[in-house]
Amino acid sequence: MKIGIIGSGNIGGTLGKHWAQAGHEVLFSSRHPEELGDIVREAGDKAKAVSVAEAFEANADAYLLATPFKAINETAEVFAGEYGNKVIIDATNPYPETDGEIAQDVRDDNRNASEYTALKFSTAFTAKAFNTIHAKDLKERAFDDSNPMAVPFAAQDAKSREVTDKLIRDIGFIPIYVGDLGSTKAMEVDEKVYGVSTDQQELRSMLNIS
Ligand SMILES: NC(=O)c1ccc[n+]([C@@H]2O[C@H](COP(=O)([O-])OP(=O)(O)OC[C@H]3O[C@@H](n4cnc5c(N)ncnc54)[C@H](OP(=O)(O)O)[C@@H]3O)[C@@H](O)[C@H]2O)c1
């Protein structure tokens, strides 16, 4: 698959390198793509650094959103309608302390944060994944065949579900589907499985999923 990384920091940089290791073509982006040389070198031949607009123009199969939450509106404007029908995997979390008013509004709203993203990227197929995992676990627990860690995810439709399931599995985690974007409450900041590092049996039990 061709994967666009929007925000190549702790989460985006690490995931992009894992996906490159799994054989995917990865486009790392940020507002400063010229600063992504080290990540691209570590990711290998199939990776390159581009601007956010170039990442969307490249017509990737899936995009990972891994910027601060406050960048969602701006990123969605770059995405606009013209790059529709893409799978967007949203790993962001709203933190009022650093993201400001928009994060507080989303937290106070009846909608889940994932639904906010889906609303902004209205022409895409949105999934929520990797927002619950600590950066350290993401880095150190990938490709761990002996004790694989479970990663919960939600998806808006069949296509985003299939792609996200595969991209979690490809880097050695066990995907646990929690439902559509209306079902992500347990994955939100400080909720039941937020920051939880465990195997599939325990995660299923915490989420009451058989
Ligand atoms: N750290 C964790 O343990 C963790 C775990 C799960 C989920 N998350 C969530 O994942 C997201 C990213 O967290 P992180 O720890 O990876 O943050 P980070 O290390 O600060 O990386 C954020 C990246 O986003 C880029 N960026 C910032 N504003 C942007 C914009 N307007 N447009 C495009 N790119 C932009 C930054 O690069 P430039 O400044 O060069 O643009 C940077 O590469 C957050 O929403 C966070 O809540 C974090």
Side-chain angles (χ1 to χ4, degrees):
M1 257 188 253
K2 190 196 279 187
I3 304 166
I5 305 288
I6 311 298
S8 304
N10 289 313
I11 297 299
T14 303
L15 269 172
K17 284 189 272 183
H18 289 340
W19 281 324
Q21 187 178 334
H24 295 291
E25 182 183 345
V26 179
L27 303 172
F28 291 96
S29 77
S30 81
R31 294 166 301 179
H32 311 100
E34 69 283 1
E35 293 173 5
L36 300 176
D38 287 349
I39 290 178
V40 169
R41 259 188 302 283
E42 285 171 45
D45 292 349
K46 286 183 147 187
K48 62 180 175 181
V50 296
S51 69
V52 175
E54 284 167 339
F56 288 137
E57 277 159 20
N59 201 21
D61 302 292
Y63 289 93
L64 175 81
L65 280 191
T67 62
F69 189 83
K70 65 183 171 196
I72 285 195
N73 289 358
E74 179 189 325
T75 311
E77 270 170 37
V78 180
F79 183 79
E82 57 192 299
Y83 308 117
N85 297 332
K86 301 291 169 211
V87 172
I88 301 269
I89 303 174
D90 177 18
T92 66
N93 290 302
Y95 277 103
E97 314 85 81
T98 48
D99 293 312
E101 204 176 327
I102 180 187
Q104 191 60 53
D105 289 348
V106 169
R107 288 234 204 151
D108 292 344
D109 198 1
N110 283 329
R111 273 189 299 261
N112 294 326
S114 60
E115 293 175 295
Y116 181 83
T117 303
L119 196 71
K120 288 287 161 187
F121 288 83
S122 60
T123 57
F125 304 110
T126 302
K128 187 86 183 177
F130 298 111
N131 69 304
T132 62
I133 188 170
H134 281 303
K136 186 172 186 295
D137 285 329
L138 185 61
K139 197 170 185 175
E140 295 173 0
R141 300 282 311 270
F143 305 106
D144 180 358
D145 294 340
S146 60
N147 182 24
M149 188 176 152
V151 169
F153 79 103
Q156 191 175 34
D157 74 315
K159 182 176 176 180
S160 51
R161 179 176 176 175
E162 184 189 324
V163 167
T164 307
D165 183 293
K166 176 170 168 47
L167 289 177
I168 295 172
R169 211 175 284 282
D170 281 356
I171 57 173
F173 294 110
I174 309 279
I176 305 291
Y177 178 63
V178 306
D180 62 18
L181 300 184
S183 313
T184 54
K185 178 79 178 146
M187 295 169 61
E188 304 256 323
V189 177
D190 296 338
E191 296 291 342
K192 206 183 278 180
V193 299
Y194 192 73
V196 167
S197 165
T198 191
D199 61 13
Q200 66 162 317
Q201 200 180 358
E202 192 185 354
L203 195 74
R204 282 183 189 283
S205 145
M206 290 175 80
L207 290 164
N208 285 322
I209 294 173
S210 53

